[in-house]
Every structure is written in structure tokens, then in C-alpha cells.
């Protein structure tokens, strides 16, 4: 079953923090387990998040604000809450509930971003109950929960989910599913686990509380728990994005062979929405990205919380460069990328595209296009193309730098942006994929090496390079250059090479730029100054 959504997984999620793997997914995972544990009016009293010492979370969870996002999700906070960043400090002191992080060996550590969550809740009758969850963040804000109190599950947040336990539930699983999907709600799937006397129902949205209460009162029903979708609910698990040729075939069936229209058709199918409704969501996402860039330019130096960098985006945008050097479109795009990354590193609301570590390339590129002749409709279509290019990458690989280094972050985002630029200036579907291929062949083996674990150095510089890479690749292809190597093959090689890289080169802050003498001096100076 393929659950990749363009808006959820490729030009999303909307999030806070510098890493989609270490910020967006933790927030959504924590919010989901809180909902499951507190489905029946329980009150969260204590929460412990556990990371393996050999995993990726352990060395960087503070620097990348994973703890902030787990705490906010467990508190049920909204991303737009003005006190979002204050929640961690309060719950660490036991305000509302007690929160803590433990670094200890996990029983299951088959992914660098594995995490165990232990929640203690007070039930309606005053007794305490402890729930245990296990899961992993898998890149680009995507995640799964694969264990709940020892029972196997597979929750990705892509649907609303209702669990019903009891022999009566197992015997009438279809009846329960139909009851839960009453009205305009869409039933997306039902599974029965006789070994645990459990029925799991996937829905487009959570049922009304009266419907849930009626299920609880049924004969043979022992317990009911539920969690809402983390993002736009996914309404079909069809394989939509596995090959470039498959996507191009859809494009060729659209008027003018439009790759932007192909993206719209495929995402509308994925989300169970009309084309008009889906187009509106893409437009809103494009406007959000441009707003993030604008907010970054307006940021004040006194509000900067980055540990190593100062705000430079506005200076880059307004610099009077020598004539003939780069050109105004590229200069604006580079500045836009920096602006988005500065917003990102300052924990502002941003859009992972496809990750927070590469959140500047796509918005910066859009900003450059908008400033130089492409209107908002054209920019939105370019964004649709960028998204579908990234979806093929996600279907064949991963956006987790912990697995593939920066080649799966700024490498992937540059490929996406290159295709969007090619499309914006008249490129056909094949040329868009060729431009993306050029980017991937030039970023094979690119390491992820954040100094001090912060998504600042070299991450901001990599986003600037990603924008430049995108424009140069699009220009070359539109000028007649042939990338030769197929996009799918280059994605596969990106993943293969990533798996061969030493763990110190995959987002652990133990190699590459992070291991230079200068970087070590900078980290020591900040650590000693605390």
C-alpha cells in the first residue's frame, strides 16, 4: 500500500523546527499516542520518550528541538499556538504532566530514528494506567507507530483510526465499520485481529462523539480508542508514484501533456478530493511558502536564536553584485532559500519540502520565479511539478538523512526545484525529469554533517547551493543537454550509496563539516558559555 501524498509527504508537512525527521514526525507521533491513550477522558500524568544511544535522535534531540516537539504533541498543542516553544520547559517541571527523555538501549532498534513512548494516564475512576508505544520517524515528516501495548499495529497518521476491542467487535466488524462511517464519512479500511480481539477501522475523519459512545455500549465491546489523521487523510493506497515513466504516462493523457496536471490528478485521487479542491490546497501551500520567505526577510536580529549564524538573507537579496554575476533571478532565489532556512532555524512555522533541512530550496526557487515574471498560478503549477518529482523519489527511497545523508534532502529538493523551473519556462515532462536527474547525479553521496547537531552549518549553505543547482540543471536541459541517465535509476543509486555511507556521515554531527577543527572550537565555545 502506497500512502505518499504530495501535500503531506513531499511539499509538507507544515511544521516547527529545523528537521522534519526530528521535529515534524515527533510532534505528530506524540499527538497521536496522546489521543489514543486519552480517548475515553483519561488525563495524561507522565510521559517518557526513549531513544537508543546508537540511534540518530540521541546526539541531536536537544539541538534539533525533538524534545520540544514531542512535548508539544503530548500536550495536544497546535502548531500555531503562541506558547508552543514554552511547553517543554513547563512539562519538564511537571506543569500539566511530567515529561522526560531517556537515552537507553531499545529492544527494537532497526531504524536510526526509532523511539519508544511510555504514557501514564489517570482514568475516569482515578486509577493509573501505563501505555507503551514504539515507532520510527522515516523522513520528510513521515512516521509509523508499529506497537501499542505489545500489540502489532501500523499507524502512519494518514487516516483517522478507531480501535475496538472485544469478542463482540470481532464478530460484527463490518457492522461496526459501517456504523463508524455513517453520514458523509468515508470508510477507508477495516482489519480484524482475532488474536488480540481487536478491530481497526480507518476513516477519512473521526466519527461524531455520539457514534463512538454508541459503539462503546455495544454488547461484547470492551474498549474503544481512536486517533485523528495527522495530515490530509489518504483515501487510496494505489501505487501512483513508483516510476517516472508512470507519471509521464499520466501527464501525456492531460491537455498539452502537462506534468502539473498529472500531479493534480494523482493527488486528487490520493486524497479523495475534487481537482478544484486539490488545486486550492496547492495554491495555499505555495502562498504559505512565499509567506515564510517574506517573514524571514522581516526577521529582527534580536529575535535570532541560531547558535552559529546571523541573519543574512535580506543582505544577500539587497546586495549590489557585479553585473553579469549570476543574475537577479538566481540572486533572489538564493536569498529566498536563506530566508526560509533562517525562519526554519528560528523555530518559525515552515513547510518541509521535502524536509526541514532542505526547506529553503523550493520556497526560494518559487520566490525567484514570482519576482521575475511567473505569476502565482504559474508558480503553483511549478510547485505541483516539484511535488510529483519528489513523490517518485519518496516511493523508491527515503527523505531521511539518517539513512541517506544530505543527498536525500538538499539533493532531492534540488531535483524537485529543477523540474519546477524547467516546467515554468516551457519544459515538457521528459525535460523536467531530465533536469531532476542532473541534480541527483551531482549529489550522489552528499553527507549530512550538521555542526553541533544544529541545522545551520552547512545546511543553509547547502540550500543556497541547491537553488543554484536547480536553475543550472534546468537551463542546461532547456538548452539541449541530455541527462542520459534515468531519474528512477539515480534515485535507486542515491539510496544504495546512502546505505553504504558510514553512520558518522548521516546526521549524527560526528563527521564531515561537523568534525572540522573550526566546528569543534565553535561547539566548545558555545557549550562552555552556557
Amino acid at each position: 500500500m502506497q500512502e505518499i501524498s504530495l501535500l503531506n509527504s513531499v511539499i509538507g508537512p507544515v511544521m516547527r523546527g529545523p528537521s522534519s525527521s526530528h521535529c515534524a514526525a515527533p510532534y505528530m507521533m506524540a499527538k497521536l499516542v496522546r489521543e489514543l491513550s486519552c480517548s475515553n477522558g483519561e488525563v495524561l500524568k507522565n510521559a517518557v520518550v526513549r531513544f537508543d544511544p546508537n540511534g540518530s535522535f540521541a546526539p541531536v534531540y536537544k539541538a534539533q528541538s525533538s524534545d520540544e516537539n514531542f512535548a508539544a504533541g503530548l500536550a495536544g498543542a497546535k502548531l500555531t499556538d503562541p506558547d508552543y516553544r514554552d511547553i517543554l520547559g513547563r512539562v519538564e517541571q511537571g506543569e500539566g504532566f511530567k515529561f522526560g527523555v531517556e537515552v537507553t538501549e531499545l529492544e527494537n532498534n532497526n531504524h536510526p530514528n526509532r523511539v519508544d513512548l511510555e504514557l501514564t494516564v489517570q482514568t475516569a475512576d482515578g486509577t493509573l494506567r501505563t501505555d507503551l508505544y514504539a515507532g520510527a520517524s522515516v523522513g520528510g515528516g513521515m512516521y509509523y507507530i508499529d506497537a501499542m501495548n505489545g500489540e502489532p499495529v501500523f499507524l502512519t497518521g494518514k487516516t483517522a483510526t478507531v480501535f475496538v476491542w472485544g469478542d463482540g467487535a470481532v464478530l460484527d466488524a463490518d457492522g461496526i465499520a459501517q456504523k463508524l462511517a455513517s453520514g458523509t464519512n468515508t470508510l477507508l479500511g477495516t482489519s480484524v485481529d482475532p488474536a488480540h480481539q481487536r478491530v481497526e477501522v480507518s476513516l477519512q475523519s473521526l466519527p461524531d462523539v455520539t457514534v463512538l459512545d454508541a459503539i462503546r455500549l455495544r454488547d461484547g465491546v470492551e474498549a474503544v480508542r481512536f486517533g485523528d489523521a495527522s495530515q490530509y487523510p489518504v483515501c487510496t493506497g494505489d501505487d501512483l508514484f513508483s516510476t517516472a515513466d508512470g507519471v509521464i504516462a499520466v501527464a501525456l493523457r492531460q491537455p498539452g501533456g502537462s506534468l502539473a496536471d498529472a500531479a493534480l490528478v494523482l493527488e486528487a485521487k490520493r486524497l479523495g478530493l475534487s481537482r478544484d479542491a486539490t488545486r486550492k490546497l496547492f495554491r495555499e501551500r505555495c502562498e504559505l511558502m512565499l509567506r515564510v520567505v517574506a517573514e524571514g526577510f522581516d526577521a529582527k536580529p534580536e529575535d535570532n536564536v541560531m547558535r552559529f549564524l546571523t541573519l543574512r538573507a535580506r543582505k544577500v537579496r539587497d546586495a549590489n553584485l557585479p553585473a553579469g554575476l549570476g543574475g537577479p533571478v538566481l540572486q533572489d532565489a538564493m536569498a529566498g532559500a536563506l530566508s526560509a532556512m533562517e525562519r526554519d532555524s528560528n523555530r518559525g512555522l515552515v513547510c518541509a519540502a521535502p524536509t526541514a533541512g532542505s526547506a529553503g530550496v523550493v520556497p526560494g526557487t518559487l520566490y525567484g520565479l514570482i519576482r521575475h515574471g511567473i505569476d502565482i498560478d504559474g508558480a503553483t503549477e511549478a510547485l505541483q511539478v516539484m511535488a510529483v518529482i519528489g513523490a517518485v523519489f519518496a516511493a523508491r527511497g527515503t527523505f531521511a538523512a539518517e539513512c541517506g545523508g544530505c543527498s536525500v534532502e538538499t539533493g532531492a529538493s534540488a531535483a524537485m526545484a529543477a523540474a519546477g523551473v524547467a516546467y515554468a519556462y516551457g519544459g515538457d515532462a521528459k525535460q523536467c525529469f531530465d533536469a531532476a536527474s542532473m541534480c541527483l547525479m551531482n549529489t550522489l553521496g552528499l553527507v549530512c554533517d550538521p555542526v553541533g547537531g544544529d541545522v545551520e552549518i552547512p545546511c543553509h549553505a547547502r540550500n543556497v547551493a541547491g537553488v543554484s543547482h536547480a536553475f543550472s540543471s534546468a537551463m542546461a536541459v532547456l538548452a539541449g543537454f541530455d541527462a542520459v541517465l534515468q531519474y528512477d535509476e539515480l534515485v535507486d543509486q542515491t539510496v544504495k550509496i546512502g546505505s553504504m555511507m558510514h553512520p558518522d556521515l548521516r546526521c549524527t554531527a560526528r563527521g564531515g563539516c561537523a568534525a572540522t577543527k573550526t566546528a569543534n572550537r565553535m561547539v566548545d565555545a558555545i557549550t562552555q558559555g552556557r
Side-chain angles (χ1 to χ4, degrees), residues 42-388:
E42 296 92 340
V43 177
L44 181 60
K45 289 296 185 180
N46 189 68
V48 179
V49 176
R50 296 189 176 97
F51 307 134
D52 194 282
N54 296 312
S56 179
F57 273 117
V60 299
Y61 76 88
K62 287 186 177 292
Q64 296 192 6
S65 70
S66 306
D67 48 359
E68 282 187 11
N69 281 279
F70 274 113
L74 288 165
K78 295 180 180 179
L79 287 166
T80 53
D81 285 356
D83 64 342
Y84 189 94
R85 297 204 64 207
D86 300 327
I87 293 171
L88 174 63
R90 295 203 301 264
V91 297
E92 284 181 327
Q93 299 303 315
E95 183 179 327
F97 62 95
K98 182 66 176 175
F99 173 83
V101 172
E102 295 179 0
V103 177
T104 184
E105 289 190 9
L106 303 183
E107 183 177 347
N108 185 350
N109 189 34
N110 61 355
H111 190 283
N113 286 337
R114 287 294 299 192
V115 57
D116 286 358
L117 301 102
E118 179 181 304
L119 276 59
T120 301
V121 297
Q122 183 175 318
T123 63
D125 63 7
T127 60
L128 296 178
R129 185 187 77 230
T130 297
D131 291 332
L132 301 173
Y133 301 90
S137 164
V138 293
M142 294 179 281
Y143 70 91
Y144 58 77
I145 303 291
D146 59 358
M148 177 172 60
N149 291 329
E151 296 183 16
V153 295
F154 193 75
L155 302 174
T156 62
K158 300 296 176 61
T159 68
T161 304
V162 179
F163 289 102
V164 185
W165 284 268
D167 54 3
V170 171
L171 290 172
D172 190 24
D174 290 340
I176 286 175
Q178 292 302 321
K179 178 68 175 177
L180 290 170
S182 58
T184 58
N185 205 350
T186 302
L187 177 63
L188 302 176
T190 305
S191 64
V192 179
D193 183 352
H196 296 99
Q197 291 196 316
R198 187 189 76 207
V199 174
E200 178 182 348
V201 182
S202 300
L203 302 154
Q204 192 167 23
S205 61
L206 284 177
D208 185 84
V209 63
T210 58
V211 175
L212 293 165
D213 286 342
I215 297 297
R216 287 189 184 94
L217 295 174
R218 282 189 170 216
D219 290 340
V221 169
E222 298 175 4
V224 175
R225 293 195 193 186
F226 53 84
D228 208 349
S230 302
Q231 300 170 279
Y232 298 119
V234 168
C235 294
T236 176
D238 293 356
D239 183 349
L240 304 179
F241 303 116
S242 287
T243 67
D245 284 347
V247 171
I248 290 173
V250 176
L252 293 176
R253 294 196 292 271
Q254 311 309 312
S258 171
L259 192 57
D261 282 350
L264 198 62
V265 167
L266 293 170
E267 183 69 348
K269 181 177 182 179
R270 179 69 86 216
L271 300 183
L273 300 174
S274 68
R275 287 184 58 164
D276 286 345
T278 307
R279 182 181 289 107
K280 182 181 178 182
L281 293 179
F282 275 112
R283 171 73 172 258
E284 291 173 353
R285 190 59 55 86
C286 185
E287 291 172 343
L288 170 63
M289 289 184 174
L290 294 170
R291 187 163 65 249
V292 167
V293 172
E295 290 171 352
F297 285 134
D298 290 340
K300 297 177 174 60
E302 58 267 28
D303 296 329
N304 180 39
V305 299
M306 291 188 289
R307 295 203 299 169
F308 304 114
L309 297 177
T310 57
L311 302 177
R312 295 298 178 96
R314 190 164 55 220
K315 182 176 182 178
V316 171
R317 182 194 64 186
D318 298 341
N320 187 17
L321 294 172
L325 180 61
V329 179
L330 183 56
Q331 182 176 348
D332 280 336
M334 289 163 52
L338 268 180
S339 182
M341 288 305 295
E342 289 173 357
R343 191 70 181 149
D344 182 19
S345 293
N346 280 294
R347 295 356 181 216
L349 196 67
V350 297
C351 178
T355 69
S358 59
V361 177
V362 167
T365 300
L366 293 174
Y367 178 74
L369 295 176
I370 283 285
R371 292 262 288 182
H372 298 277
I374 304 298
D375 62 17
I376 188 65
D377 290 329
T380 299
E381 289 192 358
L383 180 60
Q384 291 165 205
V385 171
M386 296 177 190
V388 79

Side-chain angles (χ1 to χ4, degrees), residues 15-28 64-66 69:
M15 55 167 289
R16 280 181 180 265
S19 167
S20 46
S21 294
H22 290 166
C23 300
Y27 168 75
M28 290 186 283
Q64 296 192 6
S65 70
S66 306
N69 281 279

Side-chain angles (χ1 to χ4, degrees), residues 398-471:
T398 175
F399 293 137
E402 300 80 9
C403 297
C406 202
S407 56
V408 304
E409 291 204 31
T410 55
S413 62
M416 291 162 56
V421 172
Y423 178 87
Y425 290 107
D428 61 26
K430 182 182 182 303
Q431 287 175 311
C432 291
F433 272 102
D434 277 354
S437 292
M438 274 194 67
C439 286
L440 292 189
M441 69 175 70
N442 294 330
T443 55
L444 287 173
L446 183 60
V447 305
C448 179
D449 46 354
V451 172
D454 293 74
V455 183
E456 297 179 29
I457 304 170
C459 313
H460 289 213
R462 293 256 172 88
N463 277 259
V464 169
V467 167
S468 306
H469 199 184
F471 275 91

